[in-house]
């Protein structure tokens, strides 16, 4: 698998395109702050350096998920004033966040209302002031959350998952809206969802 290493004075977008054209690979970001909005490629892993919550490698901006294929993120802090990740209608990619911190002050960490792919979060932290975590209001995304904390200073913040969701060892302080169909979700591993609401499944 091809690997490219860049520093904060280089553009992430340029090297993502290069990897995608060559069938994918790993883009390693050296420590520092990267200020850039990215149209994300498929079959690429963007990898930071060090622990995400210590701000070793930070990407600031708004990013578009690939329409299909796979995209991965590890050891990164991703932040933006408004929503960090968005996607086009009927996006069907698979994404993974491993040991990442997502911080948004007035929006969603993932504002992906029509997403119908798969997403996994492992060992992460979501935080902010008036933030929401995942908005999949009109979609059919299948999400898994492991060893994760999602908190907000605004108790009105939400997490909307109308289809399939699995929680294991998570702590979420804000409102979580899940499908009313118990076959569509599981809450395990001493997970604590402080403000849980169950709605009818999307048809």
């Amino acid at each position: 698998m091809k690997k490219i290493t860049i520093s904060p004075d280089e553009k992430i977008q340029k090297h993502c395109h290069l990897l995608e054209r060559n069938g994918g690979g790993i883009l390693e970001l050296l420590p520092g702050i990267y200020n850039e909005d990215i149209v994300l490629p498929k079959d690429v892993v963007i990898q930071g350096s060090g622990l995400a919550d210590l701000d070793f490698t930070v990407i600031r901006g708004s990013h578009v998920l690939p329409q299909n294929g796979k995209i991965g993120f590890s050891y990164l802090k991703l932040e933006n004033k408004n929503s960090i990740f968005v996607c086009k209608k009927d996006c069907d990619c698979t994404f993974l966040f491993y040991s990442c911190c997502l911080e948004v002050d007035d929006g969603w960490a993932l504002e992906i209302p029509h997403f119908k792919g798969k997403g996994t979060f492992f060992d992460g932290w979501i935080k902010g002031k008036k933030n929401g975590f995942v908005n999949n209001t009109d979609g059919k995304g299948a999400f898994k959350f492991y060893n994760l904390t999602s908190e907000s200073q605004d108790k009105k913040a939400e997490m909307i998952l109308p289809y399939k969701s699995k929680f294991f060892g998570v702590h979420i302080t804000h409102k979580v809206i899940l499908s009313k169909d118990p076959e569509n979700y599981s809450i395990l591993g001493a997970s604590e969802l402080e403000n849980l609401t169950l709605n009818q499944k999307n048809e």
Side-chain angles (χ1 to χ4, degrees), residues 68-84:
N68 50 53
K70 299 178 181 180
I71 181 76
F73 308 88
S74 61
Y75 304 108
L76 292 167
K77 183 177 183 185
L78 299 130
E79 59 184 35
N80 197 35
K81 178 174 176 56
N82 303 118
S83 297
I84 302 174

Side-chain angles (χ1 to χ4, degrees), residues 157-168:
E158 294 181 336
M159 182 173 181
I160 304 174
L161 305 169
Y163 198 51
K164 293 186 180 296
S165 306
K166 179 178 181 179
F167 302 85
F168 189 96

Side-chain angles (χ1 to χ4, degrees), residues 117-182:
K118 297 179 181 179
T120 300
F121 302 81
F122 186 87
D123 192 20
W125 185 19
I126 317 301
K127 62 180 182 176
K129 295 178 181 178
K130 297 181 179 180
N131 64 310
F133 185 2
V134 179
N135 174 15
N136 190 222
T137 308
D138 300 312
K140 286 192 174 183
F143 300 96
K144 296 178 181 179
F145 307 90
Y146 301 96
N147 302 327
L148 177 141
T149 297
S150 183
E151 57 187 3
S152 174
Q153 296 176 27
D154 183 354
K155 295 297 183 182
K156 294 180 181 179
E158 294 181 336
M159 182 173 181
I160 304 174
L161 305 169
Y163 198 51
K164 293 186 180 296
S165 306
K166 179 178 181 179
F167 302 85
F168 189 96
V170 305
H171 181 202
I172 300 175
T173 65
H174 50 74
K175 188 174 184 179
V176 178
I177 302 174
L178 298 178
S179 163
K180 194 172 182 179
D181 185 345

Side-chain angles (χ1 to χ4, degrees), residues 185-202:
Y185 66 89
S186 60
I187 302 172
L188 306 167
S191 292
E192 184 177 2
L193 279 63
E194 294 186 7
N195 189 357
L196 175 62
T197 299
L198 299 179
N199 280 353
Q200 293 288 353
K201 177 175 89 169
N202 280 12

Side-chain angles (χ1 to χ4, degrees), residues 6-8 12 27-34 46-60 74-79 99-101:
I6 67 171
S7 60
I12 296 172
L27 180 62
E28 181 183 44
L29 308 184
L30 294 176
I33 297 174
Y34 297 75
I46 302 177
Q47 177 179 293
S49 306
L51 299 175
D53 56 353
L54 295 181
D55 295 5
F56 282 119
T57 310
V58 181
I59 302 176
R60 291 177 178 161
S74 61
Y75 304 108
L76 292 167
K77 183 177 183 185
L78 299 130
E79 59 184 35
S99 193
C100 288
C101 175

Side-chain angles (χ1 to χ4, degrees), residues 1-5 15-28 41-47 70-74:
M1 180 180 289
K2 186 175 179 61
K3 182 176 181 179
I4 297 175
T5 301
H15 292 90
C16 278
H17 285 326
L18 180 60
L19 285 171
E20 186 176 31
R21 286 197 300 269
N22 286 277
I26 298 172
L27 180 62
E28 181 183 44
K42 63 180 180 180
D43 302 328
V44 169
V45 174
I46 302 177
Q47 177 179 293
K70 299 178 181 180
I71 181 76
F73 308 88
S74 61

